[in-house]
């Protein structure tokens, strides 16, 4: 382990600032998981305490506190975040609300898991996925304590054509994979939905969302004309419990009502109160005036 760290220039306290980047680029994969975890704990503390004296202020108690926060965050993600309202999860919810460090740890741990894929991070380019995911994760946390289960939040992502906006759909798809909840992506036009489906498959590389759980409603390209088979594939993709899945649809009545709404109803029959995410792609092209004309 020491030789690997020296090889990557990790010899002083100041060198630790590059640890997260090295781990994300998979350049420290030869280190034991425990060693990488310990390095991340130290770098997180340094980020929050840039002017601290490491030798005097960082000790076993500090390390154990951060490590405990990380373990708690992983448990919370697996048991509560994104899941239907459950009274048993309220203690964890309240614990996080009463401890800002816990919410910070939750956001950081969940973001790291969502963006673990080097391919997805590369596709994001300059997109500030950290801020985007932080807001989304904190919203899902608020939902854990919402007894009605209804607490909608709208995110508007704007950018020029070919500015890399698709990467935010990749990030939210990966988040749905981590939380094991469905994602429905609505776009304008059948051909566009087929192209977008291919992009979503590409953006899933290295994430928890499997290609077989990314389904396009149209059978125009894959040759699946049977609506029963398509509905079955959509139900499997958006089944929840064990995995996240994506259904890409066009803005037609048939696909919205007969594919997406049907699949979400099926999902909620099996998981009452189940959460899901809706992404409206090219939303500006779908706005209409009172006379039904496109803006």
């Amino acid at each position: 382990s020491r030789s690997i760290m020296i090889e990557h220039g990790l010899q002083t306290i100041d060198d630790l600032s590059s640890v997260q980047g090295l781990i994300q680029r998979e350049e420290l994969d030869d280190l034991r998981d425990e060693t990488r975890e310990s390095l991340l704990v130290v770098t997180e503390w340094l980020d929050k305490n840039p002017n601290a004296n490491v030798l005097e202020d960082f000790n076993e108690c500090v390390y154990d506190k951060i490590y405990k926060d990380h373990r708690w965050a992983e448990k919370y993600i697996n048991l509560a975040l994104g899941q239907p309202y459950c009274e048993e999860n309220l203690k964890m919810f309240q614990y996080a609300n009463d401890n800002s460090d816990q919410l910070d740890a939750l956001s950081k741990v969940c973001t790291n898991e969502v963006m673990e894929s080097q391919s997805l991070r590369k596709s994001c380019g300059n997109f500030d996925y950290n801020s985007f995911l932080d807001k989304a994760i904190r919203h899902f946390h608020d939902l854990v304590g919402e007894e009605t289960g209804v607490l909608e939040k709208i995110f508007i992502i704007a950018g020029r054509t070919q500015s890399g906006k698709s990467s935010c759909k990749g990030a939210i798809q990966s988040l749905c994979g981590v939380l094991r909840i469905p994602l429905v992506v609505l776009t304008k036009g059948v051909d566009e939905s087929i192209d977008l489906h291919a992009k979503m498959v590409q953006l899933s590389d290295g994430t928890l969302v499997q290609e077989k759980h990314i389904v396009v409603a149209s059978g125009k390209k894959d040759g699946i004309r049977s609506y029963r088979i398509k509905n079955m594939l959509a139900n499997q993709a958006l089944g929840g419990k064990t995995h996240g899945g994506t259904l890409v649809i066009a803005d037609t009545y048939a696909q919205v009502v007969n594919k997406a709404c049907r699949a979400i109803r099926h999902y909620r029959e099996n998981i009452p109160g189940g959460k899901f995410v809706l992404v409206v792609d090219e939303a500006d092209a779908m706005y209409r005036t009172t006379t039904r004309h496109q803006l």
Side-chain angles (χ1 to χ4, degrees):
S1 295
R2 182 178 181 182
S3 62
I4 295 171
M5 292 173 65
I6 292 174
E7 178 185 345
H8 290 286
L10 300 177
Q11 301 185 64
T12 68
I13 297 297
D14 292 336
D15 295 334
L16 292 175
S17 60
S18 63
V19 163
Q20 186 164 348
L22 290 170
I23 290 177
Q24 288 182 337
R25 292 193 298 273
E26 302 174 4
E27 294 180 26
L28 296 180
D29 281 2
D30 290 338
L31 290 176
R32 293 181 303 162
D33 290 344
E34 294 84 356
T35 303
R36 285 183 292 169
E37 179 78 21
S38 297
L39 287 171
L40 284 173
V41 167
V42 177
T43 55
E44 180 178 331
W45 182 82
L46 287 172
D47 286 342
K48 292 183 177 180
N49 304 275
N51 299 318
N53 185 320
V54 178
L55 296 179
E56 293 181 3
D57 301 333
F58 189 85
N59 52 40
E60 186 175 353
C61 291
V62 173
Y63 177 90
D64 288 344
K65 170 67 168 59
I66 298 174
Y67 187 82
K68 180 182 177 182
D69 289 347
H70 277 229
R71 295 286 77 78
W72 176 90
E74 290 174 352
K75 180 180 179 181
Y76 189 55
I77 291 167
N78 290 329
L79 296 180
L81 201 65
Q83 300 307 303
Y85 175 81
C86 174
E87 289 188 3
E88 294 178 4
N89 293 331
L90 288 181
K91 287 185 178 180
M92 298 178 73
F93 168 80
Q94 196 58 51
Y95 177 65
N97 272 1
D98 294 342
N99 297 273
S100 60
D101 286 347
Q102 292 294 158
L103 274 178
D104 292 340
L106 170 66
S107 179
K108 189 176 185 67
V109 170
C110 192
T111 296
N112 287 341
E113 190 169 351
V114 170
M115 300 304 296
E116 188 175 2
S117 165
Q118 185 176 1
S119 174
L120 179 57
R121 292 195 306 273
K122 185 177 180 180
S123 72
C124 283
N126 294 324
F127 173 61
D128 184 9
Y129 60 79
N130 284 305
S131 296
F132 172 66
L133 288 172
D134 179 67
K135 292 180 175 66
I137 291 163
R138 289 174 189 270
H139 175 63
F140 275 108
H141 162 70
D142 291 338
L143 280 171
V144 175
E146 184 61 39
E147 186 172 0
T148 65
V150 179
L151 190 63
E152 296 180 357
K153 192 174 187 68
I154 297 175
F155 293 87
I156 298 177
I157 309 295
R160 296 179 179 178
T161 302
Q162 302 301 320
S163 63
K165 296 190 297 297
S166 291
S167 62
C168 73
K169 293 189 280 290
I172 204 68
Q173 176 175 251
S174 182
L175 176 61
C176 289
V178 170
L179 301 184
R180 307 185 303 282
I181 61 174
L183 167 66
V184 176
V185 183
L186 169 68
T187 193
K188 182 172 175 60
V190 172
D191 290 338
E192 289 81 357
S193 71
I194 294 171
D195 292 340
L196 181 55
H197 170 257
K199 284 185 181 178
M200 299 305 289
V201 170
Q202 186 177 23
L203 289 166
S204 72
D205 181 40
T207 72
L208 293 178
V209 182
Q210 300 179 47
E211 181 176 348
K212 67 179 180 180
H213 293 142
I214 305 174
V215 177
V216 61
S218 171
K220 186 175 179 180
K221 186 173 182 179
D222 58 23
I224 301 177
R225 301 294 182 177
S226 168
Y227 74 90
R228 288 188 177 85
I229 294 178
K230 273 292 183 181
N231 287 339
M232 179 191 70
L233 293 173
N235 289 342
Q236 290 174 350
L238 305 192
K241 286 188 179 179
T242 60
H243 64 269
T246 301
L247 175 63
V248 183
I249 62 172
D251 59 340
T252 67
Y253 179 88
Q255 292 196 16
V256 171
V257 175
N258 297 334
K259 295 293 191 299
C261 291
R262 183 190 295 270
I264 291 298
R265 280 198 301 270
H266 182 269
Y267 160 66
R268 284 191 157 177
E269 286 171 1
N270 295 321
I271 306 178
K275 309 295 188 298
F276 69 94
V277 174
L278 170 66
V279 170
V280 181
D281 189 39
E282 305 294 346
D284 55 334
M286 298 184 194
Y287 280 107
R288 296 290 186 272
T289 65
T290 54
T291 58
R292 304 295 295 166
H293 286 85
Q294 183 176 323
L295 294 176

